[in-house]
Amino acid sequence: MSGPVMRIDLDAIEENARTIVGFCAEHGIEVTGVTKVTCGMPAVARALIRGGVTAIGESRLENIHRMRADGITTPFWLLRIPPLSAVDEIVTSVNVSLNSEMGVIRGLSAAAQERDLVHDIILMVDLGDLREGIWPDDLMTVVGEVRDLPGVRLRGLGTNLTCYGGVLPTRKNMNRLVAYQKAVEDAFGIRLDILSGGNSSSLDLLRRDGIPSEVNNLRLGESLMLGLETANQTLWPGARRDAFILGAELIEVKKKPSVPVGETGLDAFGEKPVFRDKGPMIRGILNIGREDVKTNGLTPLDDKVEVIGSSSDHLLVDLTSVTVPRKVGDEVSFLPDYGALLAAMTSSYVRKEPHRSGAPLEKRGLSIAVFGETSSDIADILTEDLISLEAVTDVVRVSDTDDVSEFSGLILCCGPDGSLPGLLAKSPAATGPLGLIWFTQTPELSPLLETFMQPEIFTPENTILIGLREAGPKTMGLIESRGIGVKTMEDIDLLGLRQVMRSALEKASSGTGGVILRYDAAVTDGGNEGLTKRETYLAMELAARSGVLRGMDISGSLPVVNADDAAALRRYVGTAFGKKILNHWAK
Ligand SMILES: *Cc1c(COP(=O)(O)O)cnc(C)c1O
């Protein structure tokens, strides 16, 4: 695949969250983790949640819907003050919204009341930054009105600084916020349980001067993503700046002058370019431009590389001083600033590749647990088969899910059907959610599919069903509402199995702790309406070669009634666990 790529290190994001959430916790502050710069990427939200944030903040409803559909159940805060036209959507999909307009709050109240819901709101107070917020003079009137409305519950006050006016959080304006909270509490005889003191620009104040102890929440985005406190744009101690790395490919590398030849006018963007004559230089052109990213927000990872200009589709770099010569086809990597990150994450031209650096799936001597009932012949036979494989160092046969609680190798699940999620829940092998590639032709997969979709086990975002010809209404509903991937037999006919499997592995492994391959034997029917045997082998081999396989589930293929089917199943399993197709099956 060509084009620029944004590599997202989920473990670095988790680490940043853990570091900063821990620091805030020492000061009695909970953190709402803000995902908006990633367009609400569910894998990023999960990393933040693992790192300890207590809520997810988003500015866009579409992003909240995506994360909810992906099974994230943490409370969601809507950060951008809501439009009147979306009040119905908000009360049904958002737990807390930040507000400053009485008309909208009335709308939220009516919408919530109609559905017998209670919607939590935080009133934003403008301390002078002049973006959103109630002007302090009007605060008491607004609170009085809100208190009388059914369907909405006033949870607290908040403020946002350093956004429009660049007003920094200080001890003084934080004290003002605290004073407003006290005034409201005293005047109305109520307790406000949230005082949300700002964004990543508050961290520096918290560390230098302290923030009044009444402030008990911060809404943090940039600091968790890029490791930067934003009052001075400095790296937070212990945080990582490299969670997001943008890569682009060199499409031209040539020695040329550093100053254009001929009379110069305006460039493609109507600006008058200025050049410094540095003599001949090695100039590189990368396949990324202003259509993909904010090019002046990129810092080359290699400090010998210098960005010298950009157009819609090109980024020009000076490669004269690099230590190792770069050639066409090489990748050059950059750290994006917040604006560049936002643009790249929003651009459909930039591929997003989440991964987990802390949990590499290194190739190693495989250790496999074969799970099946005590009396399962096929589980016994497969255990024997797997022991004979070259890559396998040890195989344990287990019949109780508890037996895998200390086992961190691969898993082969031989039933009962549907036991896999419970098995994985017990196994330390499943660190964070896994991807699921499911070969099947069963039209109605729910409720089984539903039991598989558990946030800590399998996420819809990383699940792909391969081989379907039709889907029953319940399954269709599940696929559509949760965003589960599907590759039909038609896709396989059009694209070929290799291509289908490759994109399935990419989707299933992106941001997960590995992939489980589920194989329902009925999908292989000699190519009548399903897969041929050759295609099935190829699928297994591609899975084996991917290096991301964490296990296999064949419980939907059991019991096997005839000897030929059993022999085929044994070969498929052997192939998935690393036996080459061409080698004849031993024994
Ligand atoms: C974006 C946003 C934040 C997070 O800001 P960062 O500087 O990324 O920490 C917090 N609050 C509101 C209202 C926001 O819109």
Side-chain angles (χ1 to χ4, degrees):
M1 231 183 303
S2 71
V5 53
M6 180 64 83
R7 301 209 166 80
I8 306 165
D9 183 342
L10 299 170
D11 288 322
I13 296 171
E14 178 181 338
E15 224 177 291
N16 286 351
R18 190 165 290 121
T19 305
I20 294 171
V21 167
F23 174 79
C24 289
E26 286 170 24
H27 296 81
I29 290 174
E30 288 196 341
V31 174
T32 297
V34 178
T35 47
K36 68 187 181 201
V37 75
T38 67
C39 303
M41 183 179 266
V44 170
R46 289 205 157 80
L48 294 179
I49 293 164
R50 288 194 296 274
V53 306
T54 48
I56 294 293
E58 246 304 327
S59 50
R60 296 187 187 240
L61 286 166
E62 298 91 317
N63 296 348
I64 292 179
H65 292 319
R66 183 175 319 114
M67 292 187 277
R68 269 196 188 282
D70 206 57
I72 295 171
T73 53
T74 312
F76 283 100
W77 289 27
L78 183 64
L79 300 183
R80 183 166 67 182
I81 49 168
L84 194 51
S85 54
V87 291
D88 292 305
E89 210 179 328
I90 290 165
V91 297
T92 51
S93 55
V94 175
N95 306 83
V96 180
S97 62
L98 309 186
N99 286 275
S100 67
E101 283 291 347
M102 208 48 236
V104 176
I105 300 172
R106 274 187 223 110
L108 290 167
S109 158
Q113 203 187 5
E114 206 171 287
R115 291 169 180 76
D116 263 339
L117 296 169
V118 175
H119 178 69
D120 284 341
I121 65 171
I122 289 177
L123 289 179
M124 294 301 275
V125 183
D126 189 342
L127 296 178
D129 195 54
L130 301 183
R131 204 178 76 178
E132 73 272 40
I134 298 161
W135 201 249
D137 300 346
D138 305 326
L139 182 60
M140 287 301 173
T141 322
V142 174
V143 172
E145 256 190 83
V146 171
R147 290 270 303 144
D148 288 338
L149 288 176
V152 290
R153 173 169 50 205
L154 177 60
R155 291 287 303 278
L157 304 182
T159 195
N160 198 53
L161 293 164
T162 341
C163 263
Y164 172 73
V167 173
L168 289 169
T170 56
R171 192 88 208 180
K172 195 166 157 208
N173 53 28
M174 286 296 113
N175 281 335
R176 273 176 63 208
L177 186 65
V178 172
Y180 297 138
Q181 181 195 38
K182 264 197 75 54
V184 166
E185 289 186 340
D186 292 349
F188 296 92
I190 52 172
R191 284 276 304 137
L192 298 177
D193 60 331
I194 298 175
L195 193 58
S196 185
N199 52 39
S200 298
S201 68
S202 296
L203 285 172
D204 186 51
L205 178 67
L206 184 57
R207 135 178 94 180
R208 267 189 306 112
D209 243 5
I211 283 181
S213 62
E214 288 84 353
V215 172
N216 60 7
N217 172 276
L218 290 177
R219 309 171 308 271
L220 303 180
E222 183 164 353
S223 50
L224 307 185
M225 302 299 161
L226 299 180
L228 301 171
E229 60 76 28
T230 55
N232 318 293
Q233 291 285 326
T234 60
L235 186 63
W236 191 257
R240 289 175 57 174
R241 175 68 181 85
D242 61 350
F244 295 84
I245 292 178
L246 183 65
E249 184 179 331
L250 281 166
I251 52 176
E252 183 185 300
V253 179
K254 289 191 193 307
K255 192 166 192 173
K256 292 185 189 179
S258 43
V259 174
V261 182
E263 275 179 51
T264 59
L266 300 181
D267 68 12
F269 287 84
E271 290 155 21
K272 176 89 185 155
V274 197
F275 301 94
R276 193 155 48 91
D277 193 351
K278 297 192 278 182
M281 60 201 271
I282 315 263
R283 303 172 68 97
I285 303 180
L286 292 158
N287 63 343
I288 186 168
R290 299 201 202 177
E291 188 149 0
D292 312 290
V293 71
K294 190 178 91 100
T295 48
N296 62 1
L298 298 177
T299 308
L301 267 187
D302 178 348
D303 60 9
K304 301 279 194 310
V305 174
E306 192 191 338
V307 176
I308 51 178
S310 63
S311 62
S312 314
D313 307 299
H314 306 85
L315 185 71
L316 279 76
V317 286
D318 178 356
L319 300 172
T320 316
S321 348
V322 298
T323 0
V324 183
R326 306 296 183 94
K327 55 183 192 310
V328 166
D330 285 354
E331 186 175 301
V332 177
S333 310
F334 301 88
L335 295 177
D337 70 7
Y338 191 83
L341 178 60
L342 180 65
M345 291 303 291
T346 312
S347 170
S348 58
Y349 299 105
V350 178
R351 199 164 82 245
K352 323 297 184 289
E353 268 185 14
H355 65 101
R356 300 194 56 180
S357 61
L361 294 160
E362 77 279 16
K363 294 198 172 69
R364 65 192 146 200
L366 301 179
S367 143
I368 305 171
V370 180
F371 172 78
E373 284 162 6
T374 326
S375 57
S376 165
D377 290 343
I378 190 85
D380 293 341
I381 293 169
L382 286 169
T383 305
E384 286 300 309
D385 284 351
L386 292 173
I387 287 172
S388 72
L389 292 182
E390 205 179 313
V392 175
T393 44
D394 92 274
V395 183
V396 287
R397 169 80 169 84
V398 295
S399 48
D400 188 321
T401 51
D402 283 330
D403 293 342
V404 296
S405 62
E406 311 255 301
F407 180 82
S408 59
L410 309 188
I411 282 180
L412 173 62
C413 180
C414 304
D417 200 7
S419 55
L420 180 72
L423 188 64
L424 290 172
K426 292 274 171 65
S427 162
T431 49
L434 299 172
L436 176 64
I437 298 179
W438 186 336
F439 281 91
T440 184
Q441 286 209 314
T442 311
E444 198 50 278
L445 285 173
S446 74
L448 190 58
L449 179 57
E450 212 150 357
T451 60
F452 272 60
M453 294 302 109
Q454 299 175 21
E456 284 313 309
I457 311 286
F458 292 116
T459 69
E461 193 192 30
N462 302 108
T463 297
I464 307 98
L465 307 173
I466 300 183
L468 283 186
R469 281 181 299 119
E470 51 186 342
K474 283 212 189 93
T475 302
M476 206 56 226
L478 204 55
I479 288 170
E480 285 176 350
S481 68
R482 310 289 299 271
I484 292 169
V486 177
K487 293 290 177 195
T488 60
M489 280 313 300
E490 204 176 3
D491 293 321
I492 296 173
D493 291 340
L494 281 171
L495 302 168
L497 188 85
R498 185 180 294 273
Q499 179 61 34
V500 164
M501 194 63 188
R502 212 176 268 151
S503 71
L505 282 162
E506 198 169 292
K507 182 174 162 70
S509 63
S510 104
T512 63
V515 175
I516 298 282
L517 184 67
R518 173 164 165 125
Y519 172 69
D520 297 353
V523 78
T524 308
D525 66 354
N528 275 338
E529 301 199 305
L531 299 181
T532 64
K533 287 184 180 176
R534 293 190 65 84
E535 285 171 324
T536 310
Y537 276 128
L538 182 60
M540 300 300 154
E541 176 151 278
L542 291 171
R545 265 198 261 153
S546 71
V548 297
L549 201 67
R550 300 268 20 177
M552 192 169 172
D553 179 18
I554 55 165
S555 51
S557 312
L558 306 178
V560 194
V561 282
N562 75 54
D564 280 354
D565 290 348
L569 190 58
R570 287 170 65 185
R571 287 192 202 105
Y572 298 146
V573 170
T575 306
F577 286 102
K579 187 177 178 67
K580 279 277 179 326
I581 293 175
L582 288 177
N583 296 351
H584 210 73
W585 189 248
K587 289 178 271 183

